[in-house]
Amino acid sequence: MKWNKAMAILLAAMLVVLSACSSSGSKDGASDNVDVIKVWTYPVHGNYKDDIAKSVAEFHAKHPNIRIEYELLTWAEGPKKFDVALNAGSPPDVYYHGVSGQYVDTGLALNLDPYMTPEIVNDYLPGVLEKAKIQGKQYGLPMYQYQWAWSANQRILEEAGIDWRKIQKEGWTWSEFKTEAKKMVKDLPDGSKQYGIVTDATTTDFIEMLARSSGLVDVVDRDGKFIWNDERMLETLKFIRSMVDEGIMPKETAAIDPAKRVEYFYNGKTGIASKGLPYYDVMLETRAKDIDAGKVKGEKIEHVYLPIPYKDGGKWQATVGGEGYVGFRQKDDKGEQHAKNTFLVMDWLTKGVHGGNSASELCVPFARQSQIDAFKGKDSRGKPHNKIAAEINQSHGVPSSDLYVDAKVSASKKKFIEQAQKPMQQALFSGSRTPEQIFEEFKNKGEQLFR
């Protein structure tokens, strides 16, 4: 759930429980029975609270025999709440998330294939539905196509003489990145230091994205084979450690949390912030207005979206996927009509203007033709050069292996991340373990979990 967790740093969120009034009767000839579909979602972007309220109201006007009850969860606590509900056999009918083999393993994930009409299938852009399948079966409906890369401060890049437009178009290698990043490292007038890049030691994406750029698509390959025992993983760990040792990243990186990482970026203490997305265009535009209004103090930052550098001799491989809604049954199954209604709600929330609002606000590619049609002639968010960079980055995308492996492998991967990756990345940043020692830990844990 990479995208979701990162948005905890990027957006302020609050728990809101909203339910619409029930309505008797139906144009479909239903009785006064009203089917309630529970939706758990998140503040996908700054205006999503208003967007989903409008979408739900329009749905109720068209389908009075179905009532949507929804909650806007917080990014920090929502995943835990969902895991508890899923393990208890009582997940919401609809949940905002990418697909996961973990869900399929419970037997509660709703296989959407029986409800996928040709009209819906053809509405999706080529390759998008595949981003919400597990072993060829459709479990989710993407609302947009996400991607992760790095975000940079245009002023700092240009002061260092870095041709960021070329990097956006052509990408860069690890050695090219280090050469450019060192140009951004300097002492500032206030006695602090400006770094080339700042990341945090708590989220796992930094190592995962750089491992992907070394040629290791995921912890496992599409066949479920553990591949972080490959020598390229050791090279990735050495590369990351070298950034700390050579002063490109702060020596206190092990103590930096996601909020502190954003603070470095906002305060002009780093040229690049790891874990960036096109939505930074909108966020920094809003921040600039707050600075002008005197609500916030600081530098108005011009955002540059940069691709992840790749291993010398390798190729550009970007982190991409599809985010949207996943359907579920409950242990106390409510029947086939309820499942059909669940799918109807999922389709409604992801098509046309309802789903397109999120893609437009987040400055990421649309998922459906109906979304494109709904936004024809409308101004889209984001800077033109970053939108082009995002399109190029998307073309180099490599999806997670979770879309191909079975539930058992997916569960083992989750254990590997919790039991090996998270503690070892702390050790990597702190220097308490060498890259070689961490690599051995990875190999040993992989042998235990992926037999």
Side-chain angles (χ1 to χ4, degrees), residues 383-435:
K383 298 182 180 298
H385 58 77
N386 287 335
K387 290 169 68 175
I388 294 172
E391 291 172 1
I392 296 172
N393 194 50
Q394 189 81 27
S395 71
H396 291 276
V398 180
S400 167
S401 293
D402 278 342
L403 303 182
Y404 307 97
V405 300
D406 61 29
K408 180 180 179 182
V409 172
S410 183
S412 294
K413 177 186 167 184
K414 185 176 181 181
K415 289 180 182 177
F416 178 86
I417 291 171
E418 294 296 325
Q419 298 173 12
Q421 183 182 345
K422 285 185 177 180
M424 286 300 102
Q425 71 181 28
Q426 286 278 349
L428 178 66
F429 288 127
S430 68
S432 62
R433 298 278 188 97
T434 66

Side-chain angles (χ1 to χ4, degrees), residues 9 16 44 273 312 349:
I9 313 308
V16 180
V44 180
D312 294 65
L349 293 176

Side-chain angles (χ1 to χ4, degrees), residues 150 171-182 206-216 230-243 246 248 307-317:
W150 288 346
W172 48 348
T173 64
W174 285 359
S175 60
E176 288 171 339
F177 159 75
K178 288 181 70 173
T179 297
E180 302 297 339
K182 288 177 181 178
F206 189 67
I207 289 179
E208 292 165 0
M209 288 190 288
L210 285 170
R212 178 172 288 111
S213 74
S214 77
L216 301 175
D230 187 284
E231 288 294 317
R232 286 172 291 182
M233 189 67 230
L234 177 57
E235 292 180 73
T236 302
L237 296 170
K238 288 181 177 179
F239 172 64
I240 293 171
R241 183 61 215 176
S242 72
M243 286 192 269
E246 297 172 23
I248 294 172
I308 306 296
Y310 55 89
K311 181 177 175 293
D312 294 65
K315 61 181 181 178
W316 185 343
Q317 298 197 99

